[in-house]
Amino acid sequence: MKIDKFVMSATNKKNVIEIIRTKGPIHKAEISRLLGLSLPTVMKFTDELEVSGAVKVIGKAESSGGKCPELLEFVSDAFYIVGVDVGRNAMKAVVMDLGGNITGKAIVKTGDDVNPEVTVARLIELIKTVIRKSKVPFDKLLGMGIGMPGILDAENGNVIFSPDFNWENIPLLEPLKKHFNLSQILINSNQAMAMGERWFGAGKQSDYFICINLGHGIGSAIVEKGEIYYGSCGSSGEVGHMTLEKDGPVCECGNHGCLEILASGNAIALQAQQAVHDGEESAMSQMANGQNSQIDAKIVFDAARENDKTAAQIINTAVEYIGIGIANYINLLDPDMIIINGGIVNAGDILLERLIPVIKERQMKFAGRKVKIKIGALGENATSMGAAAMILKEYINAGCNGKGIYRQTASHV
Ligand SMILES: [Zn+2]
């Protein structure tokens, strides 16, 4: 088989960058040894990277005889990236450097009116605010990644269908481009969350993991060989719409008894509101200052932690469904890790201690033997950092040759 020399060279350069980024400070002979490349080949790439400012010499290593080799490091503050998490409850934005260090952060409530024009206007203001707060000069910004729930046409920057926002066929990147002359990438929120954990969080060492997003809804993303497994049209990972009760309540998607309608943050809140409305004894009403419609998943978790019987029962039932969903997932895909993240995780530290026994009980004997269940390391920043990481990935794929040479939108779906 004939291998294209140009493609091979680009791949080798990318591998050199990745070794320096993840294992640096490192010297050239060690890079050569780890990648199986000749020293002159490694030096050709590291010289180019030093010239472009993507890597720098930060000192010398101890010598075992002869000249002390120079230590190279990836330059994290060469550029900065904007990452946005467009959530149904809140929109969050960060500016981070290429090492995932956050230099600016902003958050705004999404609000009840999610008309696309209103939401996009709010999004533009949020991005302007986070750039201003970060104090990063505009010419140091490499691009922006937007994490959005739903099924997307990432190539053209459009939202095909987002049940959370009730949007169909809405152009999202086009209006943003009018305001920001930056490379932009649109990625599904759950997939962004998984990539955040993969690049900077709990999944750094794992090539096969599933990231579950337990929030207002329930979503997930599958990581295979370090990359998102998209499926044939990019809609993989919809674990929230796995049917668990054939005649169960009707879900937003139209199906009956989906995991999401039984156990999401929204479902937990609605079940608690209903229980209080039905006159069941509970401290939750008081905790919501008597306003039952204000009982949210956090209140239910807080009450369960205080041994409120009604709240504990709702949480236990929800956790059981979540555990069954995850056990099904493990049986099917045999991941080495399940990373759990999202609003429910932030609200309830009792989640994991109740969830693990359910998964163990429901998981098939000997299936998924390696799997570890972990809470995500990036908390509420996972989706925005992961969306930003997609720009970093494009930068590295393009050989770190500065701004403007890679595609304006992603073509990964
Ligand atoms: Zn559903």
Side-chain angles (χ1 to χ4, degrees):
M1 189 173 70
K2 202 176 154 202
I3 299 171
D4 186 318
K5 270 190 185 164
F6 180 77
V7 171
M8 203 166 82
S9 172
T11 305
N12 286 340
K13 185 171 182 180
K14 194 184 99 179
N15 291 340
V16 168
I17 298 165
E18 275 301 77
I19 287 279
I20 300 172
R21 188 183 75 85
T22 56
K23 299 206 186 309
I26 186 167
H27 57 79
K28 292 164 196 170
E30 180 66 359
I31 300 171
S32 151
R33 190 185 68 79
L34 286 170
L35 292 177
L37 294 172
S38 73
L39 194 55
T41 304
V42 170
M43 286 168 75
K44 176 182 165 289
F45 294 138
T46 55
D47 286 352
E48 285 173 12
L49 292 166
E50 273 189 68
V51 169
S52 70
V55 306
K56 65 178 177 192
V57 176
I58 59 142
K60 294 199 169 180
E62 294 277 311
S63 169
S64 52
K67 242 174 97 182
C68 295
E70 286 174 336
L71 285 171
L72 293 169
E73 191 178 71
F74 186 68
V75 181
S76 293
D77 60 358
F79 289 107
Y80 293 78
I81 308 169
V82 180
V84 185
D85 173 2
V86 185
R88 181 59 191 86
N89 292 328
M91 298 196 277
K92 301 169 202 150
V94 299
V95 172
M96 66 173 207
D97 71 10
L98 306 181
N101 304 299
I102 293 175
T103 55
K105 204 171 158 180
I107 184 165
V108 66
K109 275 204 178 309
T110 308
D112 292 332
D113 184 358
V114 289
N115 176 296
E117 273 175 33
V118 174
T119 306
V120 168
R122 203 165 283 157
L123 192 56
I124 289 166
E125 279 313 306
L126 175 74
I127 295 168
K128 283 182 183 168
T129 304
V130 78
I131 294 173
R132 199 171 56 241
K133 277 176 127 179
S134 75
K135 297 193 169 68
V136 170
F138 199 79
D139 62 358
K140 278 267 190 180
L141 288 173
L142 198 56
M144 62 173 74
I146 312 285
M148 171 83 207
I151 296 170
L152 313 171
D153 170 8
E155 187 88 40
N156 295 302
N158 298 334
V159 177
I160 296 174
F161 176 49
S162 181
D164 295 39
F165 284 77
N166 200 16
W167 288 1
E168 263 189 67
N169 295 317
I170 302 293
L172 186 60
L173 293 192
E174 195 187 291
L176 292 182
K177 278 202 175 84
K178 285 183 188 154
H179 280 81
F180 306 100
N181 183 24
L182 286 171
S183 296
Q184 294 168 0
I185 281 179
L186 182 63
I187 178 172
N188 169 278
S189 311
N190 301 316
Q191 293 167 352
M193 177 180 276
M195 283 291 99
E197 294 293 347
R198 165 71 185 162
W199 281 72
F200 303 111
K204 274 200 276 192
Q205 309 296 333
S206 171
D207 282 335
Y208 294 89
F209 69 86
I210 291 159
C211 187
I212 312 251
N213 185 0
L214 299 177
H216 180 84
I218 297 181
S220 78
I222 303 157
V223 174
E224 185 194 25
K225 294 181 188 163
E227 303 282 351
I228 295 290
Y229 170 79
Y230 289 104
S232 65
C233 62
S235 68
S236 65
E238 289 289 357
V239 68
H241 303 283
M242 178 187 276
T243 305
L244 292 185
E245 271 187 23
K246 80 177 174 67
D247 299 316
V250 180
C251 178
E252 271 182 2
C253 74
N255 185 23
H256 284 263
C258 294
L259 174 59
E260 183 164 296
I261 193 71
L262 297 167
S264 65
N266 192 37
I268 289 171
L270 292 177
Q271 286 163 22
Q273 289 171 16
Q274 186 64 46
V276 169
H277 179 262
D278 292 348
E280 285 186 37
E281 204 179 308
S282 171
M284 290 187 285
S285 179
Q286 203 186 344
M287 290 165 80
N289 298 320
Q291 289 185 289
N292 289 354
S293 64
Q294 297 301 307
I295 297 175
D296 59 12
K298 184 177 184 311
I299 288 180
V300 191
F301 271 101
D302 287 346
R305 206 178 289 114
E306 299 295 322
N307 295 318
D308 182 293
K309 270 193 179 162
T310 305
Q313 199 176 6
I314 290 167
I315 295 295
N316 286 344
T317 307
V319 167
E320 196 164 7
Y321 281 122
I322 295 168
I324 291 170
I326 292 176
N328 283 340
Y329 227 152
I330 294 171
N331 290 346
L332 273 176
L333 294 180
D334 184 26
D336 63 19
M337 196 186 288
I338 300 277
I339 298 175
I340 299 172
N341 213 330
I344 290 189
V345 178
N346 301 333
D349 52 3
I350 55 173
L351 178 75
L352 212 54
E353 70 189 50
R354 298 189 186 198
L355 186 60
I356 288 176
V358 179
I359 296 173
K360 293 279 171 249
E361 188 193 320
R362 297 284 181 163
Q363 197 181 321
M364 187 195 170
K365 219 169 157 182
F366 302 119
R369 292 190 298 284
K370 282 189 186 169
V371 75
K372 292 182 275 308
I373 317 285
K374 279 195 179 182
I375 296 286
L378 303 180
E380 62 169 16
N381 299 325
T383 297
S384 49
M385 288 180 74
M390 294 299 93
I391 295 281
L392 172 59
K393 186 179 167 192
E394 294 277 302
Y395 169 70
I396 291 172
N397 284 346
C400 297
N401 286 325
K403 292 176 76 170
I405 61 158
Y406 47 88
R407 293 182 299 275
Q408 287 287 302
T409 53
S411 57
H412 51 250
V413 175

